[in-house]
Amino acid sequence: MTKNKIPQNIYNLLILLPYLWLVTGLFLYKDSDKGMVIMMAVAVIASIATQGLKVAKENIANSKMLWLIFAITLYAIFSYFYHGLSSREIRAFIALSVFLPFFPKDLLTKRLLIILTIIGSFVSFMSAFYYSSIIDLNRAHWPINAIPFATIVATLSLLSLNLRLIANSKPQKNLLLISFLFSIIALVLSQTRGVWIAFSISILVNIVLIVRSSKIKYDYKKILATLTLLLITIMLCYPKIEQRFQETQYDINRVSKGQMTGSIGLRLQMLAVTPDMVKGDLLLGTGNKQLEKLNRLYSEGKVPLYLYRYGPPHYHNQYADKLIKNGVIGLTLFILLLTLPLIEAKYITANNKRITTCIILLFSISALTDAPFNHGQSIFIFVLIIYALNNKPPSCTNEKVISEK
């Protein structure tokens, strides 16, 4: 190995720190999204040290998604000073606006993405198993909120399934199968019903897209073996699934009797007050003053007592939450974040297009029952993976990132 190659490998590792942190550090402690900011700062310095502004100029000139991230960040900064905004959200988008221009498009190779997916699935599984089964800690007290945790592991599961189709070796395929099963177990242990539904729909769509692809050869024995392992995995997790099913059934029965104080009832109340919440603030939203408006509406008899006492920090529906807090402009930018990668996907490989479609579907449906994009961790997993897939696809490059010696 030449002397000048050693520093470059180290620099490459430093530039990839945000992706390494994405599948490890984000699971470890409460403010792990702040740790991501540090990783991105180190990565930007390493990129500038080796390639100057060349990478940034190319990315800015060629990536529409990058321009959208800039627009979202600028509006977030405006909202922060105008009427307040979540510090986690604005921190995440500022960090992405700085990091993504300097990230070399061809650095995240297919092989490396496979390695990261396997690591992430293993770490998330161990984390979920430790907190839920070993120390029996309620998910409300996990280091990472259950919603971003669930969206991350669901994304890793989709990656595992699709990367297995293009893996080059049997060990890779076997590890990705284990990764797929581990991430599903972690998802079940998170007990997030909304993400369960979103993932179930996404995985079904994913399978349909795979079946429709004429380029994929099927080994029905392996498919049967995979389905058997999946069934066994679900059976092992059945107690957790049954518990949440019974809780959901109980909630639905309460709603049918007019008792709206449960989880589902509260969500329905939040949706019901949305039209009144956006009146007079339709364009820019209410920002952090939304609770003041909610209290005022309560005094006018337009908000139920239990919802008033609950004082929701968000409205358990990303679309309603964006409209209330950030107005039509914020909601439009959010919808563009979900749709622009699909429009741009026509320029990438079939496998990357399929992954992009299913991840966006996952987050779009999850956003109907919660607000995943209010969490820095969810923003990071979505943007970093979608951006990587929609630039130079990892499946189209085989460059070595870190020396194997």
Side-chain angles (χ1 to χ4, degrees), residues 377-405:
Q377 294 96 336
S378 294
I379 294 172
F380 285 133
I381 187 74
F382 180 85
V383 174
L384 288 176
I385 296 299
I386 295 297
Y387 180 80
L389 293 171
N390 278 266
N391 277 275
K392 188 172 182 181
S395 55
C396 287
T397 178
N398 293 311
E399 292 89 344
K400 290 183 179 180
V401 182
I402 304 170
S403 175
E404 296 179 359
K405 294 186 179 181

Side-chain angles (χ1 to χ4, degrees), residues 115-144:
I115 293 172
L116 292 174
T117 300
I118 293 169
I119 292 173
S121 298
F122 179 76
V123 172
S124 63
F125 166 75
M126 292 301 295
S127 176
F129 182 75
Y130 174 74
Y131 290 117
S132 67
S133 301
I134 296 180
I135 64 173
D136 194 23
L137 186 66
N138 187 287
R139 66 182 189 136
H141 303 295
W142 288 13
I144 176 174

Side-chain angles (χ1 to χ4, degrees), residues 235-250:
M235 290 175 64
L236 289 172
C237 298
Y238 182 73
K240 294 287 185 182
I241 298 173
E242 184 183 30
Q243 177 188 343
R244 292 301 278 170
F245 177 78
Q246 290 174 349
E247 290 172 0
T248 303
Q249 200 171 33
Y250 176 71

Side-chain angles (χ1 to χ4, degrees), residues 340-350 352-353 356-357 390:
L340 181 61
L342 293 175
I343 297 171
E344 294 294 294
K346 62 184 178 181
Y347 301 113
I348 62 178
T349 65
N352 283 11
K353 183 177 181 179
T356 298
T357 301
N390 278 266

Side-chain angles (χ1 to χ4, degrees), residues 13 41 56 78 85 111 122 142 146 148 169 184 189 195 201 210 222 234 241-242 284 322 342 365 397 401:
L13 177 60
F78 165 77
L85 185 74
R111 179 174 174 271
F122 179 76
W142 288 13
S169 66
I184 288 179
L189 293 176
V195 182
I201 296 172
I210 290 171
K222 290 182 179 179
I234 294 173
I241 298 173
E242 184 183 30
L284 299 176
K322 282 291 178 185
L342 293 175
I365 298 174
T397 178
V401 182

Side-chain angles (χ1 to χ4, degrees), residues 54 62 70 111 132 158 171 181 189 214 267 273 292 361 399:
K54 179 184 176 183
N62 298 318
F70 289 158
R111 179 174 174 271
S132 67
L158 291 171
L181 298 175
L189 293 176
S214 60
R267 281 169 165 80
V273 302
E292 295 177 17
L361 185 61
E399 292 89 344

Side-chain angles (χ1 to χ4, degrees), residues 6-58:
I6 297 174
Q8 187 58 53
N9 287 332
I10 294 173
Y11 279 124
N12 286 345
L13 177 60
L14 293 175
I15 295 170
L16 285 164
L17 277 179
Y19 281 94
L20 294 170
W21 189 254
L22 191 67
V23 298
T24 54
L26 280 190
F27 300 108
L28 300 180
Y29 63 100
K30 184 178 179 180
D31 293 324
S32 57
D33 55 326
K34 293 181 181 178
M36 176 65 86
V37 175
I38 297 172
M39 299 300 156
M40 288 185 169
V42 173
V44 170
I45 294 171
S47 178
I48 294 174
T50 54
Q51 305 193 51
L53 300 178
K54 179 184 176 183
V55 172
K57 290 177 180 177
E58 290 178 357

